[in-house]
Amino acid sequence: MSAIVPPAPCRAEIDLDAVEHNARVLVRHAAGARVMAVVKADAYGHGAVPVSLAALRGGATALGVTTIAEALELRSAGIDAEILAWLYQASDDVRAAVEAGIDLAIPSPAHLDTVLEAARRTGRRARVTPKLDTGLNRSGILLEDWPNILERLVAATAGGLVEVTGLMAHFAHADDPGNPVIDQQVARLHECVAQARARGLECPVNHHANSAATLTRPQDAFEMVRPGIALYGLDPVGNLGADLVPAMTFSADVLMVKRLAQGEGVSYGHTWHAPHDTTVALIAAGYADGVWRLLSGRLDVEIGGRRYPNVGRVCMDQFVVDLGSDAGTTVRAGDTAVLFGTGAYGGPTAAEWADELGTIHYEVVTAVRGRASRNHVLRGRRAADHSGTGIGEQRGSAR
Ligand SMILES: *Cc1c(COP(=O)(O)O)cnc(C)c1O
């Protein structure tokens, strides 16, 4: 009996040099403003700790996450950069975050109560970033509540309970650079910052811009920008032509290659029949791994520099591609099929999947799951020294 477990049939390879490069590109576009790398949701599925380290190497000086748990994970990994968490319950106990020096967004009066309580009980000054609702109408302080919260922040600052790092807000239309709502939101944040400064709060580092705004509206960078998706090399608008390199390549093994006679149907329901004698290949990833069944018949893979179309339904664990009637195909079992990646060699991209699915590439890269392993590499080399999670880390075991 052998204890050897075969490697994962499909893989997300994360190029940390691409992340570092993209961070540099964003630093350049930020026009003097600081860059907070947004690494929420396990760095959009790319691995929060190794991606954070790569982004910091590329010139980011702060990290942004959603939950306090995400922030504490980064601190526990030894990352001492500024880390901001912006979504939690007002009823949460946030003492661990205050003790770990995590910056906390304040999106409502109740959240201010929570953080002040934690500061009193820990005896530590809490670093806070009031989050204004300048028009997204999602999370954030209503403008009508701002004057009252501002007075409370002034008092809490004087009492040594908090340090206000700056104000933040989030755009509703950043991916539509000419939209007038952007100007309105910017004006509102400027006004809130001016009011805070007039009351003696320095607010040194304010921020409103996500990736799209960072790349299209450098004049609205305030003192810091908060890009996420562009760090992963994906264009937030679709046509910016910024020098971004997609960091995630999703690939799967070719399991077998076989002949198929004209008229034969393929996969469940025989939704496709071979129009002529052909050769097909079986690919080792399915909807359980993040290959949407909705992409059936609408996705290509790249094998050895050529694209081949999926035929028949995508199944839970596998799908079939048509190699064509060229009997001399060089595709063999054991070859690697790229499902999406940098687009090199004409290969497919996450943006193509998003277009086919009627969604955004954010959802495509965060959906890779199931049996897909995740490996961090430095332009083709394994990144054991930087990943912090070892070589060939399997999803699931790493979280
Ligand atoms: C996700 C998020 C970002 C990053 O947005 P991208 O479009 O990925 O650049 C910035 N700020 C907040 C508050 C977010 O939730």
Side-chain angles (χ1 to χ4, degrees):
M1 281 253 295
S2 162
I4 293 173
V5 178
C10 53
R11 300 163 287 281
E13 186 167 90
I14 313 299
D15 180 352
L16 295 174
D17 280 342
V19 173
E20 181 178 334
H21 163 85
N22 296 331
R24 284 186 210 293
V25 169
L26 289 160
V27 166
R28 244 186 347 260
H29 277 85
R34 292 174 53 189
V35 171
M36 168 180 281
V38 176
V39 294
K40 64 191 181 187
D42 202 18
Y44 294 35
H46 293 63
V49 171
V51 162
S52 295
L53 295 172
L56 293 168
R57 286 198 295 278
T61 58
L63 301 169
V65 294
T66 303
T67 68
I68 288 172
E70 289 173 331
L72 291 173
E73 182 199 340
L74 298 177
R75 234 349 145 250
S76 304
I79 295 175
D80 59 9
E82 280 177 31
I83 304 171
L84 170 67
W86 52 68
L87 211 63
Y88 55 98
Q89 286 270 13
S91 58
D92 285 345
D93 182 341
V94 302
R95 281 178 295 173
V98 172
E99 272 165 351
I102 304 299
D103 296 4
L104 291 167
I106 303 289
S108 82
H111 288 81
L112 180 55
D113 295 338
T114 300
V115 174
L116 291 179
E117 173 69 11
R120 279 189 207 100
R121 292 179 59 187
T122 58
R124 284 199 53 159
R125 190 193 314 255
R127 287 169 49 92
V128 299
T129 306
K131 186 168 195 283
L132 277 300
D133 192 341
T134 56
L136 180 59
N137 290 311
R138 204 174 65 177
S139 158
I141 298 167
L142 292 172
L143 295 179
E144 70 203 49
D145 289 337
W146 173 236
N148 180 40
I149 292 196
L150 176 55
E151 288 316 311
R152 295 181 63 201
L153 287 167
V154 168
T157 301
L161 284 176
V162 300
E163 173 187 347
V164 178
T165 58
L167 309 188
M168 71 181 287
H170 197 39
F171 286 122
H173 289 281
D175 53 356
D176 174 19
N179 196 297
V181 173
I182 299 175
D183 302 312
Q184 193 177 47
Q185 290 194 262
V186 167
R188 287 174 174 164
L189 190 64
H190 275 302
E191 195 179 323
C192 292
V193 171
Q195 289 163 351
R197 287 180 176 160
R199 292 293 291 112
L201 297 181
E202 191 187 344
C203 290
V205 185
N206 306 285
H207 37 105
H208 209 318
N210 65 353
S211 297
T214 300
L215 294 170
T216 62
R217 316 253 316 190
Q219 70 276 23
D220 297 330
F222 288 82
E223 292 81 20
M224 188 156 74
V225 292
R226 279 192 327 269
I229 197 72
L231 187 65
Y232 308 102
L234 301 176
D235 183 332
V237 178
N239 58 5
L240 293 181
D243 176 26
L244 301 170
V245 179
M248 181 187 290
T249 296
F250 186 26
S251 62
D253 291 336
V254 174
L255 290 170
M256 60 178 78
V257 174
K258 59 164 74 164
R259 299 210 160 286
L260 193 70
Q262 176 179 16
E264 290 291 327
V266 167
S267 194
Y268 294 128
H270 283 179
T271 55
W272 183 85
H273 292 82
H276 42 68
D277 289 357
T278 189
T279 306
V280 293
L282 184 65
I283 309 298
Y287 60 75
D289 307 302
V291 187
W292 268 267
R293 188 169 176 278
L294 280 172
L295 285 175
S296 296
R298 296 153 68 192
L299 107 124
D300 289 346
V301 303
E302 180 259 306
I303 308 171
R306 283 187 59 183
R307 280 174 85 119
Y308 300 99
N310 161 235
V311 292
R313 286 205 176 120
V314 171
C315 308
M316 186 182 292
D317 320 301
Q318 52 194 295
F319 62 92
V320 172
V321 296
D322 184 13
L323 300 177
S325 50
D326 175 9
T329 179
T330 57
V331 176
R332 297 279 177 270
D335 285 355
T336 293
V338 173
L339 309 190
F340 65 74
T342 60
Y345 311 109
T349 62
E352 275 179 59
W353 279 31
D355 287 346
E356 285 296 338
L357 289 162
T359 185
I360 51 179
H361 42 37
Y362 297 66
E363 192 175 6
V364 172
V365 291
T366 53
V368 174
R369 61 186 183 276
R371 289 148 297 206
S373 64
R374 191 171 61 201
N375 305 304
H376 292 100
V377 301
L378 296 168
R379 268 196 203 109
R381 286 174 289 128
R382 291 204 182 261
D385 294 347
H386 294 292
S387 74
T389 43
I391 291 174
E393 138 206 10
Q394 298 282 319
R395 302 184 149 248
S397 65
R399 303 193 251 186

